[in-house]
């Protein structure tokens, strides 16, 4: 329960008390705000609202009910979460009489170091009019704006893909409102989206044309629900830590489960087509694309002098309407990508789906990565220690690489482009032998994996502040995932590729989990977890050693056991973290392609 303290009796005809109760507040009217605050349990959210307030209910909702911030305020209204109650008590004790007590309190909270969220109300009204004439004018301004229409519009991300913007959001926002009015939560809708996608994967796994058609339709419906959950969260401000975790991870789980369903369906269909290598390749490409996005954004999160001619050109292109949508579409964001997968699944074969997907995503990856490389080369920016630490965490270095960094790496001089150079050299030493020279499954490949581990340590020995150092994590991801795919494909062992798919999926979950923790400001997973699963170089050594020791079904069993062990350790620690009270409720509001 939350409590709202009105600073006095509202004027006659005011709906302020009803509006606050509709938002879930227990309303108390008291000229002694400090005394009323003392009577409110310390575990509750509390709001202080000027009794003369005039405005939209949604303006109050935005300012007073958003759970992501310790304090929030708008003209005439202030709220604090339990963690900021002490500061509010101190502010009330020192407050003088003024035009509006909530405004004075907000200023004092900020002076005390409390971050006060002030939502952008746009056309919504929130005011404390002085006198009958001003009040009548403000009431007329309020009546002239339909706050429910504003609420519906604001439920949709301001920046999203073409397919999502024009084919999904025009009606999914109304589905979000329908869910809100029936008491459904975003987490329930997110779970329904996951279940729908898993049913779609099961339909694809049947290998029949009817199953493929049903899978395509269900995948699109799953995406509608995927849009709806975020719109429901914004519509009703139901943000939560658990919701942030579900939203961050389920998209990848749904897409990659569908890949697995398609691969199973291809093997069970009339042609008995084995496309597991293509499915794994698609998952690797998508994951590496995302790591490029995350690493680049983290490297430039708080960079100073953050300008470049390439960025200026991009800004000029964005000023031309049609180029904005073309540029958003060619990177195949989640809406366009899922629509493509759904249509091709219903009309063609799994091999065609993966072939088109690989070609399209490869082009998108080249386009986005090339643009970011050009920006980085032409940008004169000084990157911070925070950015360097984020890139080091994304690198996912284990004990062997860390030892190499502390010994051999400390003797190698660090230069502007040395980190990506050593990372690329490490990847080449790992992949060229098994994949080009055919040394996979031999002890020579294990030796090459050891060289990879040492060179990977050299790459991260210095702080990752160079212009292209954000390329280091995706290079390591491509090397690790690529060697698993290559060795499984070369082995010819029954079930090796599906087992490799499971292993890469488990490791990819760990890497996505690392990203979302860094985004939330809590840092990477604990070092013990990274050590327990070996780091990227430790897992490479384990897979190459397994390929050398066991052949046939033995290698498949080894990959399966390794996948299960990593999944168990990573998932258990991740679930513990995200359901804990200390985990951040960070939701993606950027609209960036996923």
């Amino acid at each position: 329960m939350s409590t709202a303290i009105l600073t006095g009796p509202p004027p006659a005809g005011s709906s302020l008390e009803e509006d606050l109760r509709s938002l879930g507040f227990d309303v108390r009217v008291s000229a002694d705000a400090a005394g009323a605050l003392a009577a409110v349990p310390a575990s509750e959210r509390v709001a202080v609202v000027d009794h003369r307030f005039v405005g939209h209910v949604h303006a109050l909702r935005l300012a007073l009910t958003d759970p992501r911030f310790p304090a929030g305020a708008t003209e005439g209204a202030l709220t604090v979460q339990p963690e900021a109650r002490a500061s509010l008590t101190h502010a009330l004790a020192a407050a003088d009489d003024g035009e509006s007590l909530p405004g004075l309190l907000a200023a004092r909270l900020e002076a005390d170091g409390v971050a006060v969220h002030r939502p952008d109300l746009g056309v919504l009204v929130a005011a404390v009019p002085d006198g009958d004439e001003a009040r009548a004018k403000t009431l007329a301004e309020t009546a002239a704006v339909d706050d429910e229409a504003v609420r519906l519009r604001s439920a949709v991300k301001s920046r999203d893909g073409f397919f999502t913007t024009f084919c999904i959001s025009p009606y999914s926002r109304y589905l979000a409102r329908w869910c809100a009015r029936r008491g459904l939560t975003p987490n329930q809708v997110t779970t329904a989206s996951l279940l729908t996608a898993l049913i779609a994967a099961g339909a694809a796994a049947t290998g029949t044309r009817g199953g493929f058609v049903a899978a395509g339709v269900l995948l699109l419906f799953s995406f509608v629900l995927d849009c709806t959950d975020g719109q429901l969260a914004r519509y009703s401000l139901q943000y939560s830590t658990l919701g942030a975790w579900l939203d961050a991870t389920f998209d990848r789980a749904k897409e990659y489960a569908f890949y697995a369903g398609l691969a199973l369906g291809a093997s069970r269909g009339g042609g008995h087509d084995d496309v597991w290598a293509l499915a794994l390749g698609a998952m690797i490409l998508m994951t590496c694309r995302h790591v490029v996005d995350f690493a680049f954004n983290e490297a430039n999160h708080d960079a100073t002098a953050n300008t470049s001619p390439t960025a200026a050109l991009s800004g000029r292109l964005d000023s031309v309407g049609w180029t904005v949508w073309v540029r958003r579409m060619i990177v195949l964001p989640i809406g366009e990508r899922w629509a493509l997968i759904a249509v091709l699944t219903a009309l063609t074969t799994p091999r065609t789906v993966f072939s088109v997907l690989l070609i399209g995503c490869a082009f998108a990856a080249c386009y986005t990565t090339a643009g970011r490389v050009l920006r980085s080369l032409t940008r004169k920016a000084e990157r911070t220690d925070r950015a360097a630490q984020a890139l080091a965490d994304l690198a996912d270095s284990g004990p062997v690489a860390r030892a190499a960094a502390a010994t051999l790496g400390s003797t190698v001089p660090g230069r502007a482009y040395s980190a990506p150079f050593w990372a690329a050299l490490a990847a080449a030493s790992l992949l060229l032998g098994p994949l080009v020279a055919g040394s996979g499954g031999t002890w020579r490949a294990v030796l090459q994996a050891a060289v990879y581990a040492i060179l990977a340590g050299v790459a991260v020995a210095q702080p990752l502040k160079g212009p292209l150092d954000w390329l280091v994590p995706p290079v390591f991801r491509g090397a690790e995932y690529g060697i698993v795919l290559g060795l499984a494909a070369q082995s010819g062992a029954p079930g090796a590729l599906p087992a490799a798919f499971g292993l890469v999926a488990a490791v990819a979950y760990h890497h996505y989990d690392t990203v979302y923790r860094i985004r939330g400001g809590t840092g990477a997973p604990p070092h013990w977890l990274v050590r327990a699963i070996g780091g990227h170089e430790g897992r490479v050594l384990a897979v190459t050693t397994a390929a050398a020791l066991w052949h046939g079904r033995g290698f498949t069993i080894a990959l399966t056991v390794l996948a299960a062990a990593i999944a168990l350790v990573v998932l258990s620690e991740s679930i513990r973290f995200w359901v804990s009270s200390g985990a951040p409720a960070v939701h993606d509001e950027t609209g960036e392609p996923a």
Side-chain angles (χ1 to χ4, degrees):
M1 190 67 180
S2 301
T3 299
I5 301 171
L6 285 180
T7 58
S14 172
S15 63
L16 182 56
E17 290 189 65
E18 291 180 19
D19 293 342
L20 290 170
R21 290 192 180 97
S22 72
L23 297 177
F25 285 97
D26 176 27
V27 180
R28 302 183 184 183
V29 179
S30 175
D32 179 15
L37 176 65
V40 178
S43 60
E44 289 186 8
R45 172 195 286 270
V46 65
V48 178
V49 183
D50 194 301
H51 66 284
R52 299 165 296 173
F53 177 89
V54 175
H56 290 101
V57 178
H58 193 49
L60 288 173
R61 180 183 290 106
L62 291 172
L64 303 183
T65 67
D66 197 321
R68 297 173 296 174
F69 308 101
T74 190
E75 183 71 23
L78 166 80
T79 186
V80 296
Q81 297 269 41
E83 60 265 30
R85 282 282 297 273
S87 294
L88 179 59
T89 301
H90 175 71
L92 276 170
D96 300 320
D97 292 336
E99 289 298 316
S100 177
L101 180 60
L104 294 173
L105 295 177
R108 288 191 173 276
L109 284 173
E110 290 177 320
D112 201 30
V114 177
V116 179
H117 172 62
R118 300 177 186 272
D120 180 9
L121 299 183
V123 298
L124 296 175
V125 176
V128 181
D130 187 12
D132 293 340
E133 183 177 346
R135 180 176 180 82
K137 181 181 178 181
T138 306
L139 285 169
E141 292 172 350
T142 303
V145 176
D146 184 353
D147 73 335
E148 177 60 23
V150 174
R151 187 182 179 190
L152 266 178
R153 287 197 302 270
S154 62
V156 179
K157 284 183 182 179
S158 59
R159 184 183 188 277
D160 222 328
F162 180 89
F163 180 77
T164 304
T165 299
F166 294 104
C167 299
I168 303 297
S169 292
Y171 58 87
S172 62
R173 69 183 75 181
Y174 295 101
L175 179 58
R177 182 171 66 181
W178 183 88
C179 293
R181 290 177 175 177
R182 282 151 184 81
L184 297 176
T185 67
N187 293 348
Q188 290 171 332
V189 178
T190 302
T191 303
S193 176
L194 174 67
L195 293 175
T196 303
L198 293 179
I199 295 171
T206 62
T208 64
R209 177 52 51 195
F212 289 147
V213 171
V217 173
L218 288 169
L219 185 64
L220 283 178
F221 183 60
S222 174
F223 183 66
V224 171
L225 293 176
D226 181 59
C227 296
T228 301
D229 65 357
Q231 291 164 359
L232 174 58
R234 287 182 285 274
Y235 181 84
S236 56
L237 296 186
Q238 295 185 74
Y239 298 104
S240 68
T241 295
L242 181 60
W245 175 57
L246 297 178
D247 184 61
T249 57
F250 276 13
D251 281 351
R252 303 287 78 78
K254 288 180 285 190
E255 186 168 356
Y256 298 160
F258 195 81
Y259 291 175
L262 278 176
L264 283 170
S267 63
R268 298 178 63 181
H272 297 288
D273 194 10
D274 188 351
V275 296
W276 276 105
L278 294 177
L280 180 50
M283 181 167 67
I284 291 172
L285 180 56
M286 284 307 310
T287 304
C288 289
R289 272 192 64 190
H290 290 138
V291 175
V292 167
D293 295 341
F294 298 144
F296 178 81
N297 290 334
E298 287 301 323
N300 297 284
H301 181 270
D302 46 10
T304 57
N306 199 10
T307 60
S308 76
T310 310
L313 174 61
S314 177
R316 287 196 295 272
L317 288 174
D318 281 344
S319 66
V320 183
W322 64 271
T323 66
V324 174
W325 295 116
V326 170
R327 294 171 70 212
R328 290 186 192 178
M329 291 173 67
I330 62 177
V331 299
L332 274 185
I334 187 170
E336 278 75 358
R337 192 169 66 251
W338 281 28
L340 177 69
I341 294 171
V343 171
L344 291 177
T345 297
L347 301 179
T348 65
T349 65
R351 181 171 291 275
T352 302
V353 174
F354 287 124
S355 298
V356 173
L357 185 63
L358 284 166
I359 293 171
C361 289
F363 174 81
C366 291
Y367 170 79
T368 55
T369 305
R372 285 166 178 166
V373 167
L374 287 174
R375 287 192 186 194
S376 300
L377 291 175
T378 57
R379 173 179 285 155
K380 298 178 180 178
E382 181 177 345
R383 291 169 177 83
T384 62
D385 292 337
R386 175 199 175 280
Q389 184 59 52
L391 292 180
D393 291 335
L394 288 173
D396 196 33
S397 300
V400 179
R402 290 179 182 273
T407 53
L408 180 61
S410 62
T411 67
V412 178
R415 303 190 185 280
Y417 301 100
S418 60
F421 167 78
W422 288 110
L425 188 61
S429 69
L430 174 68
L431 297 175
L432 289 180
L435 303 186
V436 177
S439 63
T442 68
W443 289 104
R444 188 171 64 179
V446 178
L447 177 61
Q448 290 162 339
V451 173
Y452 166 81
I454 294 171
L455 296 179
V458 174
V460 298
Q462 305 296 329
L464 299 177
K465 295 185 177 182
L468 296 179
D469 286 2
W470 55 270
L471 286 170
V472 171
V475 168
F476 287 162
R477 297 297 81 77
E480 178 184 359
Y481 301 160
I483 195 64
V484 175
L485 169 59
L487 292 177
Q490 285 185 353
S491 72
L497 281 168
F501 188 97
L503 174 58
V504 172
V507 176
Y509 176 86
H510 163 63
H511 291 142
Y512 281 115
D513 189 49
T514 300
V515 165
Y516 293 120
R517 294 197 200 196
I518 293 173
R519 274 186 172 182
T522 59
H527 289 308
W528 71 259
L529 177 67
V530 178
R531 289 194 299 268
I533 60 176
H536 68 97
E537 82 288 352
R539 292 186 294 271
V540 163
L541 283 166
V543 172
T544 53
T545 300
L549 284 174
W550 299 292
H551 303 280
R553 289 197 176 276
F555 183 52
T556 300
I557 294 172
L559 290 177
T560 303
V561 170
L562 186 59
I566 290 175
L568 178 63
V569 174
V570 168
L571 279 172
S572 58
E573 200 284 329
S574 176
I575 292 171
R576 180 210 60 78
F577 171 80
W578 285 102
V579 300
S580 70
S581 58
V586 177
H587 293 251
D588 178 21
E589 303 299 325
T590 64
E592 290 295 330

